[in-house]
Amino acid sequence: MKPEIRKIVTRSALFFGILAVSVAGMQLATWRNQQNAPDTIPASAAQSPVIVLDAGHGGIDGGCSSADGVPEKGINLNILLNLRGLLEISGFEVQVTRDTDRSIHDAGIEGIANQKSSDMDNRLEILNAPQNAVCISIHQNQFTDPQYSGAQMFYAPTNPQSEALAQSLQTQFRTMLQPQNEREIKCCGKELFLCWFCEHPMVMAECGFLSNPEEAALLSDPDYQHQVALTLYAGLTDWLSQQQVV
């Protein structure tokens, strides 16, 4: 990406970041008013959902990578850490599957395939552990044709609330960050293990394509990663504001 274009994109991201904070803050305030909630959401309140965040891949499993060799695992983690901070400032209780570059497979497991299987089982256990939770798994996409770009949300039909959550997140990406994004949310099958077997509302958020050089450059930028986190935050709080009971 040319330096002058990158400056414009970064400035745009910062502008929309400020806008996202304002919009998300108003959405959260609306939800609090509707629920007669206090200014901060008590983590112990039974009606307050635990937000469980998953940064896809980690450790030896780098996930997909850009043409420059940047793996998605670190991008996923950086977005998660930004999103966790936003949610915690807003008073939500947040749990994560990982907050460092690691696999969470059981100790003593040998072989990459066995470690991956153990890692996925442990992630699912963390997602399902809370009684009342909303779950987002953060990933990046890849395709053989580098022209494709844009975020896309995946959900499973196993939880009736997941589709609306996916739509809220997708709408915010189109509105706040990727105005040219015409992608539709997509219903998945058992191939997306965490989505299918999660007991709570759950979305896998593919935030962009690392196979697209321009989008890969953006996704590797800390400012843009923060903007992605703000967009996820706005979509989540918008969805929460529409729930009768949260």
Side-chain angles (χ1 to χ4, degrees):
M1 182 180 293
K2 294 180 180 179
E4 59 270 21
I5 297 176
R6 189 177 186 84
K7 287 181 181 178
I8 293 171
V9 171
T10 300
R11 288 170 183 167
S12 297
L14 290 173
F15 170 77
F16 284 110
I18 295 170
L19 178 61
V21 170
S22 300
V23 171
M26 288 188 290
Q27 291 167 340
L28 187 60
T30 299
W31 172 63
R32 286 172 176 158
N33 289 336
Q34 290 173 342
Q35 302 299 323
N36 295 317
D39 289 338
T40 57
I41 304 168
S44 59
Q47 67 271 29
S48 299
V50 176
I51 311 301
V52 187
L53 304 177
D54 171 56
H57 309 284
I60 195 171
D61 177 14
C64 67
S65 60
S66 68
D68 295 333
V70 178
E72 71 165 298
K73 64 175 184 176
I75 297 172
N76 299 340
L77 180 59
N78 290 343
I79 293 171
L80 177 145
L81 294 175
N82 277 287
L83 180 55
R84 180 175 69 175
L86 289 167
L87 290 165
E88 288 180 338
I89 288 172
S90 298
F92 287 98
E93 178 184 351
V94 184
Q95 297 177 11
V96 300
T97 56
R98 68 180 181 97
D99 55 10
T100 59
D101 179 16
R102 67 188 183 96
S103 167
I104 60 169
H105 61 268
D106 291 338
I109 300 292
E110 297 183 358
I112 294 176
N114 291 333
Q115 289 178 353
K116 182 64 177 176
S117 178
S118 175
D119 172 84
M120 294 298 285
D121 287 340
N122 289 338
R123 287 174 193 260
L124 182 63
E125 185 176 350
I126 293 170
L127 294 175
N128 284 337
Q131 245 183 351
N132 181 22
V134 180
C135 306
I136 299 175
S137 183
I138 299 168
H139 286 259
Q140 310 307 316
N141 217 334
Q142 188 177 50
F143 194 64
T144 52
D145 190 334
Q147 71 171 311
Y148 293 104
S149 64
Q152 187 171 29
M153 306 300 119
F154 292 79
Y155 69 96
T158 48
N159 186 293
Q161 294 177 295
S162 295
E163 182 177 3
L165 174 59
Q167 188 58 64
S168 182
L169 294 171
Q170 189 73 40
T171 297
Q172 291 301 331
F173 267 95
R174 184 177 298 119
T175 301
M176 299 171 60
L177 190 61
Q178 301 170 355
Q180 305 304 317
N181 186 343
E182 297 298 329
R183 295 187 174 279
E184 302 293 337
I185 61 173
K186 190 170 182 179
C187 184
C188 69
K190 292 182 180 179
E191 73 279 0
L192 294 187
F193 176 80
L194 296 182
C195 281
W196 187 270
F197 291 102
C198 182
E199 298 170 358
H200 306 296
M202 164 82 180
V203 169
M204 188 177 82
E206 297 275 9
C207 300
F209 281 76
L210 288 180
S211 48
N212 180 290
E214 290 191 357
E215 192 160 58
L218 285 173
L219 290 165
S220 299
D221 188 304
D223 288 335
Y224 190 79
Q225 291 168 0
H226 183 64
Q227 176 59 15
V228 171
L230 285 163
T231 303
L232 291 169
Y233 173 88
L236 175 60
T237 55
D238 178 64
W239 178 81
L240 285 170
S241 73
Q242 299 173 42
Q243 304 310 297
Q244 295 298 317
V245 180
V246 293

